[in-house]
Amino acid sequence: LPKAVKKRLKALKNIQVEYCKVEGEFYERVHALECEFAERFKPLFEKRKNIVNGQYEPTDEESHWLSDEEEEGGEDKEEKDEGDVSQLSGEVKEKVKIDEEEKLETTEIPDDVKGIPEFWLTAMKNVDMLAEMIQEHDEPILKHLLDIRVVFTGPDSNVDTTQYPQPTPMGFVLEYHFSPNPFFTNSVLTKSYKMKCEPDDDD
């Protein structure tokens, strides 16, 4: 390339480096916000875990939800008033709607069953990105999955991260909690992710 063009390309590289620095600051602030809201999400996730695992039975008020399959006031399904559900955005409605083919693939569930059997396996199989990763031999293991937790790490984290390698980098840890099973002895499996907010010289 001509010398003048090479000079311009180097200038563009310097601009890109500055861009990456600003972008890194953006993600640092996003991470701090995630750490802040993680504390507000915690009681909701704890209640979800307790319901899923049969440790808490929701009240009638907590269980009130007008689904697309239910009727209201004895009207035909085609003419029913969807009530509050109609106010949800299309995207959220798609996430909360449960079609027949998405229900638990269990031959028979007794009425006195505790919690929601195979909740996490069913949830993951209904997320396209995750469903592609789940193989047949994974399913018996995932049936023992009790809970999935996200632990944010780094200077803005409000949780005790001493069980992880120190100093704990900015990032997050996924914790997979399992019931006793014949596949492994660990009750918790973890996967750590480190956030990279500044470009390396090699980049």
Side-chain angles (χ1 to χ4, degrees), residues 125-195:
K125 289 178 68 175
N126 283 290
V127 177
D128 292 338
M129 184 181 298
L130 297 178
E132 295 175 356
M133 302 179 187
I134 299 175
Q135 300 183 28
E136 185 176 352
H137 63 262
D138 295 322
E139 296 194 16
I141 301 173
L142 294 175
K143 288 180 180 180
H144 290 274
L145 189 55
L146 299 175
D147 195 24
I148 300 177
R149 300 177 188 173
V150 180
V151 180
F152 292 98
T153 60
D156 296 300
S157 177
N158 296 315
V159 299
D160 179 16
T161 59
T162 55
Q163 69 269 36
Y164 304 118
Q166 300 295 321
T168 308
M170 186 175 68
F172 62 94
V173 178
L174 292 179
E175 294 184 348
Y176 299 88
H177 294 252
F178 289 87
S179 62
N181 62 81
F183 305 103
F184 43 77
T185 57
N186 306 67
S187 61
V188 181
L189 301 180
T190 62
K191 175 68 175 179
S192 300
Y193 294 86
K194 177 182 177 182
M195 290 185 63

Side-chain angles (χ1 to χ4, degrees), residues 42-169:
K42 188 179 296 183
L44 301 176
F45 293 155
E46 185 68 18
K47 179 171 283 190
R48 178 186 65 186
K49 182 200 73 173
N50 292 336
I51 293 176
V52 167
N53 297 310
Q55 298 169 328
Y56 174 79
E57 192 65 33
T59 64
D60 291 341
E61 182 179 357
E62 292 173 323
S63 304
H64 177 69
W65 183 269
L66 184 60
S67 69
D68 292 338
E69 292 79 20
E70 292 175 334
E71 297 180 19
E72 182 181 22
E75 297 178 354
D76 292 337
K77 291 184 179 181
E78 292 77 13
E79 299 177 354
K80 72 179 185 300
D81 179 8
E82 293 186 351
D84 294 339
V85 178
S86 63
Q87 300 177 14
L88 297 174
S89 68
E91 181 179 353
V92 175
K93 287 176 66 177
E94 284 300 316
K95 289 183 179 180
V96 299
K97 182 180 179 181
I98 303 178
D99 295 324
E100 289 298 326
E101 64 270 15
E102 294 176 344
K103 292 182 179 178
L104 294 176
E105 298 177 1
T106 309
T107 54
E108 184 177 353
I109 300 178
D111 292 336
D112 60 349
V113 67
K114 291 186 177 181
I116 306 176
E118 304 176 19
F119 171 81
W120 284 106
L121 172 60
T122 304
M124 288 190 288
K125 289 178 68 175
N126 283 290
V127 177
D128 292 338
M129 184 181 298
L130 297 178
E132 295 175 356
M133 302 179 187
I134 299 175
Q135 300 183 28
E136 185 176 352
H137 63 262
D138 295 322
E139 296 194 16
I141 301 173
L142 294 175
K143 288 180 180 180
H144 290 274
L145 189 55
L146 299 175
D147 195 24
I148 300 177
R149 300 177 188 173
V150 180
V151 180
F152 292 98
T153 60
D156 296 300
S157 177
N158 296 315
V159 299
D160 179 16
T161 59
T162 55
Q163 69 269 36
Y164 304 118
Q166 300 295 321
T168 308

